[in-house]
Amino acid sequence: MSRVLATYRIETPIDPRRAAESIAGEQSCGTFVRVPGETDELRALFGARVERITELEAVDAPSLPGARPAADVYRRAEVAISFPLENMGPSLTTLMATVAGNLFELSQVSGLKLVDLEVPAEFAAAYPGPAFGVEGTRRLTGVRGRPVIGTIVKPSVGLTPDATARLVGALADAGLDFVKDDELMANPPHSPLAERVKAVMRAVNAHADRTGKKVMVAFNISDEIDEMARHHDTVLAAGGTCVMASLNSVGLPALAWLRRRAALPIHGHRNGWGMLSRHPQLGVAFKAWSVFWRLAGVDHLHTNGLRNKFFEEDESVVASAKALLTPMHGTVVMPVLSSGQWAGQAPDTYRRLGTTDLMYLCGGGLLAHPGGPAAGIASLRQGWEAALAGRPLEDYAREHPELRQAMEMYA
Amino acid sequence: MSRVLATYRIETPIDPRRAAESIAGEQSCGTFVRVPGETDELRALFGARVERITELEAVDAPSLPGARPAADVYRRAEVAISFPLENMGPSLTTLMATVAGNLFELSQVSGLKLVDLEVPAEFAAAYPGPAFGVEGTRRLTGVRGRPVIGTIVKPSVGLTPDATARLVGALADAGLDFVKDDELMANPPHSPLAERVKAVMRAVNAHADRTGKKVMVAFNISDEIDEMARHHDTVLAAGGTCVMASLNSVGLPALAWLRRRAALPIHGHRNGWGMLSRHPQLGVAFKAWSVFWRLAGVDHLHTNGLRNKFFEEDESVVASAKALLTPMHGTVVMPVLSSGQWAGQAPDTYRRLGTTDLMYLCGGGLLAHPGGPAAGIASLRQGWEAALAGRPLEDYAREHPELRQAMEMYA
């Protein structure tokens, strides 16, 4: 029988095997005392199974409160638990309740983080996955051989549709590939989405008519169900080529529903992920979290960037981006590197990921360039040219004043 | 201008005021360097505002990794930050991205938890809130003057529709008010929801025809959007009186959408909440988290129970239940106390909440009663009778053998 495999990092005051068995019981057919009907046969058919336990270090204080009994040492282990697909059917909502539901509250653990998740082919077949991914995005943007370079409309909040359109028009003229709304900007009174789409796409289409290059704009359509559909259709009708959703805000069914009726790539914003993952012993690591959204059908997914302004270390960013670029049931998702990015991280990003199949987004790192946004974009292209040519930035900057200015400003 | 007020508990290596200003800037019109267009006027109109800072204790080690700079002390504070409603409009998805988005990743904090959230009346007016709440649930169940007593179908996974129906039928005969599916049981191959509803409602309706009492069954309809609608209609058509959704699995838009087209109370399951809240310095506390779901329209919401089998302390459970019972823009939600519950917690539950406007769910604490489920239900009613009469359980148990047996089994 096909099974889902969930890998956890746990910490526990008891034997890690017993803790793992508790998780397996709680999340399949068990309860806190054995009840009539919970037969051995039923356990054999529907029980979750502990597949592997790798004991790790021990610590002398619990990472999370409420573990019982109190102990002198708390043992950490990586445990893999499998669940029969029969228990849930190919359902993302039930999968979520099973592998990331009540178990975080178990008193048998003082730490529990879902670090990896694998679903069988029958599960993946029930969901469409990304419709565009890397290839579709390259086709729509016309960008080949380098990352899709983009920015976020800033200020995050407060621009009128016309002001946004002027900014996007200027960025298009400067050669940008991609622009996205901030996750804070969806459909507020001062910039209704329909008006913003109309104004921005007028500028984008005019630029495309002149140059043949259509800037991809990810309009933030995160909203109620019917409104998301309407927003998507508004973007499509205006000639737009991308929609964005804040994944944790909209939830899995809304995203999957949008994907099934969408004709545009879905740019997945991960805001809120920090709450799920900043603590090393609690929550859901990016790799596991992304599995849900990949199945639901995102095309692009934010991973943070190297030397970002947030808490996250480069190792983690690299692991996230690599996870998305690793085929899952035949599909990959385009990683979106952003936060505190400028030309300076291009060489290390290329060296560590070994690909240009990514989006490279800069806010202040482009818009606040001393030579203006056009010079900011030039500096980013130059940074990636240097990375691809294997030349040190300092060296390349000698011949490229925009890159040199960027290094003076941001380095 | 109307504002949303979010209260956080933060921990930071820098001055808490500066950290609070960073949060306010990041989550309104700021970026990491000031960009053209971010004028003082725009800041005044759209900027988030730090309304209050109450400094708390300091600690010598950071609770979460990645805070910068390293410091000798990490200062904790409660900070209230307000956001113009103009920034987001009355949108739950944008509210979520604003008050619980990227800010968890900020390097300026080593701890950040959203502990309270208040939205202005214009925001609440855009959402329907609960359609049934306490009053509607009492009307549908016919239960007055005591809690709605219920159970969860156990084993959690594996029963066929007919086996589930036999169990529910027996529980109805024994006098139970409410039964719910486990959150792990939605629409799996071995118990398709449509078949389960048909079988279970046949038993429930037959019992109602005989006795005039219709047991409320919360069928777990968590699923994709169109399927949730279909499941709801299946339950309604079969004479059912409740549907259940795993809130973190289905997401806000799906829940609000369901609410707008539903004719039945929505039983909100909070599984996954532990991942958002088990760490004291990270995530979203129940009270704040519940605001989103109350606006979206849940009628019942799980709060855990006293002396539960999970990590949570009684103080926290009581605070959660009280929060739901406190009117928010005129509506209350029925708290659902469950996990390790039996008759034993009735007196303390009543003493601490001062009401019977709650659901009291027992799994093993009812089904595993040595006298069988009927005796289990009798013991629960007796426990609540004792609580309402202000009599010690031990005393009341002398006259009530089922309660006495329960105390021998579970105490």
Side-chain angles (χ1 to χ4, degrees):
Chain A
M1 196 194 298
S2 289
R3 301 178 80 89
V4 165
L5 187 68
T7 305
Y8 300 93
R9 194 163 53 231
I10 69 168
E11 179 188 289
T12 177
I14 62 176
D15 181 341
R17 175 161 293 278
R18 275 179 53 220
E21 297 288 355
S22 295
I23 295 167
E26 174 74 21
Q27 296 308 105
S28 58
C29 49
T31 179
F32 82 115
V33 288
R34 194 172 266 241
V35 297
E38 190 187 342
T39 59
D40 289 341
E41 186 188 5
L42 191 128
R43 286 211 167 203
L45 272 172
F46 300 103
R49 199 162 67 203
V50 179
E51 300 286 354
R52 180 173 55 79
I53 299 185
T54 307
E55 195 146 355
L56 305 170
E57 73 278 12
V59 291
D60 57 10
S63 293
L64 301 172
R68 289 189 295 265
D72 291 330
V73 290
Y74 294 81
R75 295 158 69 180
R76 291 183 180 163
E78 186 173 286
V79 303
I81 298 175
S82 71
F83 302 85
L85 183 56
E86 179 67 32
N87 282 18
M88 60 191 88
S91 159
L92 282 175
T93 49
T94 312
L95 177 65
M96 176 75 89
T98 302
V99 301
N102 274 346
L103 71 178
F104 295 101
E105 299 188 41
L106 290 176
S107 59
Q108 290 90 341
V109 294
S110 56
L112 188 135
K113 189 161 199 162
L114 177 65
V115 294
D116 203 358
L117 180 62
E118 292 169 48
V119 300
E122 302 96 296
F123 196 121
Y127 284 91
F132 292 84
V134 172
E135 259 318 293
T137 301
R138 289 208 177 280
R139 179 169 44 80
L140 286 170
T141 57
V143 176
R144 302 273 169 191
R146 60 170 176 82
V148 172
I149 293 176
T151 193
I152 304 101
V153 174
K154 298 278 177 185
S156 310
V157 172
L159 295 185
T160 61
D162 282 341
T164 308
R166 280 194 299 276
L167 178 60
V168 174
L171 292 166
D173 288 341
L176 205 66
D177 308 316
F178 176 88
V179 183
K180 65 177 273 293
D181 283 333
D182 194 272
E183 77 274 13
L184 302 176
M185 271 295 285
N187 189 29
H190 66 276
S191 184
L193 185 111
E195 291 179 31
R196 191 164 77 250
V197 168
K198 194 172 154 191
V200 168
M201 287 313 299
R202 196 185 299 126
V204 167
N205 290 332
H207 180 263
D209 289 344
R210 281 199 308 278
T211 66
K213 178 181 171 78
K214 179 170 273 195
V215 177
M216 178 178 274
V217 182
F219 290 100
N220 182 4
I221 66 165
S222 308
D223 209 328
E224 304 298 318
I225 300 290
D226 294 336
E227 284 71 11
M228 280 211 288
R230 200 173 65 232
H231 298 331
H232 166 273
D233 296 348
T234 298
V235 174
L236 182 67
T241 53
C242 191
V243 293
M244 165 177 142
S246 286
L247 303 181
N248 291 312
S249 294
V250 305
L252 287 164
L255 200 283
W257 181 85
L258 175 65
R259 161 64 181 88
R260 288 181 197 279
R261 74 183 297 293
L264 300 172
I266 300 171
H267 186 82
H269 200 292
R270 76 171 192 182
N271 68 83
W273 171 80
M275 125 178 77
L276 305 179
S277 207
R278 184 157 175 179
H279 195 287
Q281 310 301 334
L282 177 66
V284 182
F286 183 88
K287 189 180 180 190
W289 179 82
S290 68
V291 169
F292 290 97
W293 304 103
R294 292 176 73 164
L295 291 168
V298 292
D299 294 287
H300 314 149
L301 193 45
H302 281 238
T303 61
N304 217 336
L306 297 187
R307 302 192 286 280
N308 59 77
K309 64 174 172 167
F310 290 119
F311 82 97
E312 194 178 2
E313 293 191 356
D314 290 354
E315 288 304 326
S316 171
V317 173
V318 169
S320 298
K322 281 187 172 174
L324 299 184
L325 291 163
T326 303
M328 184 180 85
H329 298 294
T331 65
V332 297
V333 162
M334 199 159 197
V336 182
L337 283 78
S338 74
S339 170
Q341 300 297 291
W342 63 282
Q345 293 101 328
D348 283 345
T349 302
Y350 184 62
R351 183 176 57 78
R352 300 193 67 169
L353 295 182
T355 182
T356 59
D357 285 342
L358 55 94
M359 306 185 103
Y360 195 75
L361 308 192
C362 307
L366 177 164
L367 299 172
H369 189 285
I377 294 165
S379 74
L380 286 162
R381 291 206 183 203
Q382 291 158 7
W384 277 94
E385 285 162 16
L388 283 162
R391 290 180 58 187
L393 279 190
E394 296 71 14
D395 176 24
Y396 205 71
R398 273 195 281 274
E399 304 148 29
H400 296 89
E402 294 88 353
L403 179 58
R404 195 167 60 238
Q405 278 185 294
M407 294 180 74
E408 286 160 8
M409 172 84 183
Y410 306 112
Chain B
M1 193 195 298
S2 290
R3 301 179 78 88
V4 166
L5 186 68
T7 305
Y8 299 93
R9 193 161 57 229
I10 68 168
E11 179 188 288
T12 176
I14 62 175
D15 181 342
R17 174 160 296 277
R18 276 181 52 220
E21 298 288 355
S22 294
I23 294 168
E26 174 75 21
Q27 295 309 105
S28 58
C29 49
T31 178
F32 80 114
V33 287
R34 194 172 266 240
V35 296
E38 190 187 342
T39 60
D40 289 341
E41 186 190 4
L42 191 129
R43 284 210 169 204
L45 274 172
F46 301 104
R49 199 162 67 204
V50 178
E51 301 286 353
R52 181 173 55 78
I53 300 186
T54 308
E55 193 146 356
L56 306 170
E57 73 279 11
V59 291
D60 58 9
S63 293
L64 301 173
R68 291 189 292 265
D72 291 332
V73 289
Y74 293 81
R75 295 159 68 181
R76 291 182 180 164
E78 187 173 285
V79 303
I81 298 175
S82 71
F83 302 85
L85 183 56
E86 179 67 31
N87 282 17
M88 60 191 87
S91 159
L92 283 176
T93 49
T94 312
L95 176 66
M96 175 74 88
T98 302
V99 302
N102 274 347
L103 73 179
F104 296 101
E105 298 188 42
L106 289 177
S107 60
Q108 289 91 341
V109 294
S110 55
L112 189 137
K113 190 161 197 162
L114 177 65
V115 294
D116 203 358
L117 179 63
E118 291 170 48
V119 301
E122 303 96 295
F123 196 119
Y127 284 90
F132 292 83
V134 172
E135 259 317 294
T137 301
R138 289 208 177 280
R139 179 168 44 78
L140 286 171
T141 56
V143 176
R144 302 273 170 193
R146 60 170 176 81
V148 173
I149 292 175
T151 194
I152 303 100
V153 174
K154 297 277 177 186
S156 310
V157 171
L159 295 184
T160 61
D162 283 341
T164 308
R166 280 195 299 276
L167 177 61
V168 174
L171 292 166
D173 288 341
L176 204 66
D177 307 317
F178 176 87
V179 184
K180 64 176 274 294
D181 282 333
D182 194 271
E183 77 273 15
L184 302 177
M185 270 297 286
N187 189 28
H190 64 277
S191 183
L193 186 111
E195 290 179 33
R196 191 163 79 248
V197 169
K198 194 172 156 193
V200 168
M201 287 313 299
R202 195 183 299 127
V204 167
N205 290 331
H207 180 262
D209 289 344
R210 282 197 308 277
T211 65
K213 178 181 172 78
K214 179 171 272 193
V215 177
M216 179 179 273
V217 182
F219 291 100
N220 182 5
I221 67 166
S222 308
D223 208 329
E224 303 299 317
I225 300 291
D226 294 335
E227 283 72 12
M228 281 211 288
R230 200 173 66 229
H231 297 332
H232 167 274
D233 295 349
T234 298
V235 174
L236 182 67
T241 54
C242 191
V243 293
M244 164 177 144
S246 286
L247 303 181
N248 290 312
S249 294
V250 305
L252 288 164
L255 201 282
W257 181 87
L258 175 65
R259 161 65 181 87
R260 289 183 198 277
R261 72 182 302 292
L264 299 171
I266 300 171
H267 186 81
H269 200 290
R270 75 170 192 183
N271 67 82
W273 172 80
M275 130 177 73
L276 305 178
S277 207
R278 183 156 178 180
H279 195 285
Q281 311 300 334
L282 177 66
V284 182
F286 184 87
K287 189 179 180 190
W289 179 82
S290 68
V291 169
F292 290 97
W293 303 103
R294 293 175 72 163
L295 292 167
V298 290
D299 294 286
H300 314 149
L301 193 44
H302 281 237
T303 62
N304 216 337
L306 297 187
R307 303 193 285 280
N308 59 76
K309 64 173 171 165
F310 290 119
F311 83 97
E312 196 178 2
E313 294 191 356
D314 290 353
E315 288 305 325
S316 172
V317 173
V318 168
S320 298
K322 282 186 171 172
L324 298 184
L325 291 163
T326 303
M328 183 180 85
H329 299 293
T331 64
V332 298
V333 162
M334 200 158 199
V336 182
L337 282 79
S338 74
S339 171
Q341 300 297 289
W342 62 282
Q345 293 101 328
D348 284 345
T349 302
Y350 183 61
R351 183 176 57 79
R352 300 194 67 169
L353 296 181
T355 182
T356 59
D357 285 343
L358 55 93
M359 305 185 105
Y360 195 75
L361 309 191
C362 307
L366 180 164
L367 299 172
H369 189 286
I377 294 165
S379 73
L380 287 162
R381 291 204 183 204
Q382 292 158 7
W384 277 93
E385 286 162 16
L388 284 161
R391 290 179 58 186
L393 278 190
E394 296 71 15
D395 177 23
Y396 204 72
R398 275 194 280 274
E399 305 148 29
H400 297 88
E402 293 88 353
L403 179 57
R404 193 166 61 239
Q405 279 185 296
M407 294 180 74
E408 286 161 6
M409 171 85 183
Y410 304 112

